[in-house]
Amino acid sequence: MGALMGLLLDPGLTGYTLAPDGPTTPGRTADVLVARHRRLPRDRMGHRLTASGRSLIGQALVTTYGPRAGVAPGALVRDAHRRWSVPSLGLNASVAHCGEFSAVAFAPAAHAIGVDIQDERDRPYALRWLGDLLARQEPATIRDFAECEALIKASHLTKETFAGTRLPEWRPGWRPMAERAGAEGVTGGRSGTGTGAGSAMGTKPAPRSGTGTGTEAAPGARAPSASETAPPPPTPTYHVRSLVLRPEGAPPLHLALACDAPVPVRFHHLERE
C-alpha cells in the first residue's frame, strides 16, 4: 500500500466492514466499497444522475482509508487501457455504478483490479450475445455479465477482443481463468493483444523468413540475439470472483471482481444520503 500503510479505516464509516477473506500481508489486501446513494438527482426523464467515476473514487478513498487519503482529482490517472490508478498512494482502482449503488475497488499498485456491479434487469439480447462469446449453449447469466465486465476493466481485453475468453465454473472466492482446450495460452495476460503467449484470442507469430519452419535463417541474415530467441515472459492468469448482495428494498445485485492475483479482499458497505 506504500503511502497508505498505517492509515486506519474512517471511524465514521456507516454500515459494516468485513475482515479480509484470507491472511493479510502488507501491501496485498484489496478493498471494495459498495455505497448506496439514496438521494441521487434525476434528469427530466426521471433517470438517476450518477456521480462521475473520478468523484466516486475520490470519495471512496477518504471513506475507506480516512481523511489523509484525500487527493486532488488530477491525482487520479488512467492508462492506455482506461484503468484507474492513484500513483501518490500506490494504488490501482476500479469503479462501477448501477442505479443508486456504486462499487469502488482498490488494490496495491502491483496488482490490476476490476470491479462491476449489476442488477437483475431483463436483458435477453445482451445475455444471448455474451453467451455466444463464451461458447455457451445457453444465454449468459447476470453473474457472467458482471464478471466479464470486471475482467475487461482489470485487463487489456475489450469487448471487441473478448471472444475466446472462458469463465471458470462458479464457486465462492477467487477462481483462476482456466486454459482453453487446445489453446497455447491462458486467458487474461496483461501485455499484447492476446491472452497469453500464442494467445487463442490473438494470432500465432509468423515464422522467420527461410524455409518456413521458423528454425532456419534466410541466407545472409544475421543470427538472432539471445533476447530475440528467448521465450516471452509469462503473463499472469487473471482471477475472478463474484457474490450476490441483497440490499433492503432493492433487487439483488451481482458484485464481481477481477485481479491478476488472488489477493485477500476486505468488503465495506456504506449508506449515503
Side-chain angles (χ1 to χ4, degrees):
M1 289 287 188
L4 284 176
M5 290 301 298
L7 292 182
L8 300 176
L9 291 175
D10 184 354
L13 183 66
T14 303
Y16 58 82
T17 298
L18 299 181
D21 59 350
T24 62
T25 55
R28 289 199 66 246
T29 303
D31 286 281
V32 179
L33 173 68
V34 177
R36 187 172 190 172
H37 311 260
R38 291 183 176 272
R39 296 184 182 180
L40 288 174
R42 296 177 181 266
D43 62 17
R44 295 179 180 179
M45 302 300 294
H47 301 132
R48 296 183 186 276
L49 299 175
T50 306
S52 69
R54 190 178 295 272
S55 63
L56 288 172
I57 292 173
Q59 292 173 9
L61 282 171
V62 175
T63 299
T64 305
Y65 301 114
R68 289 169 54 195
V71 298
L76 305 180
V77 178
R78 300 190 83 172
D79 67 8
H81 301 295
R82 303 182 63 80
R83 296 178 294 196
W84 291 100
S85 65
V86 194
S88 61
L89 298 179
L91 291 173
N92 286 328
S94 184
V95 61
H97 52 77
C98 180
E100 62 182 1
F101 295 89
S102 67
V104 181
F106 298 108
H111 296 295
I113 190 75
V115 68
D116 195 59
I117 189 168
Q118 298 285 338
D119 60 18
E120 294 192 344
R121 287 178 291 113
D122 189 29
R123 52 190 100 179
Y125 298 109
L127 295 181
R128 191 176 303 122
W129 170 80
L130 182 57
D132 290 341
L133 281 185
L134 297 173
R136 302 275 181 84
Q137 298 300 315
E138 66 283 339
T141 65
I142 298 296
R143 179 169 58 210
D144 297 330
F145 193 94
E147 289 187 348
C148 289
E149 288 285 346
L151 180 59
I152 287 173
K153 292 179 181 181
S155 71
H156 64 274
L157 296 173
T158 66
K159 291 178 173 63
E160 291 73 30
T161 62
F162 199 81
T165 301
R166 301 291 180 265
L167 291 176
E169 183 177 354
W170 190 88
R171 58 178 171 80
W174 290 109
R175 296 128 54 215
M177 302 295 291
E179 290 191 22
R180 289 186 56 191
E184 296 82 357
V186 295
T187 54
R190 289 192 68 181
S191 61
T193 57
T195 54
S199 162
M201 288 174 57
T203 57
K204 294 182 179 179
R208 294 182 182 272
S209 59
T211 62
T213 64
T215 60
E216 298 180 16
R222 68 173 179 85
S225 65
S227 61
E228 291 173 323
T229 58
T235 52
T237 299
Y238 278 90
H239 292 68
V240 293
R241 65 181 300 171
S242 57
L243 53 90
V244 178
L245 306 176
R246 303 186 185 279
E248 182 179 355
L253 297 169
H254 293 267
L255 176 70
L257 292 173
C259 189
D260 57 4
V263 299
V265 181
R266 183 186 288 110
F267 293 94
H268 316 280
H269 171 72
L270 175 68
E271 294 282 339
R272 292 188 185 276
E273 288 298 326

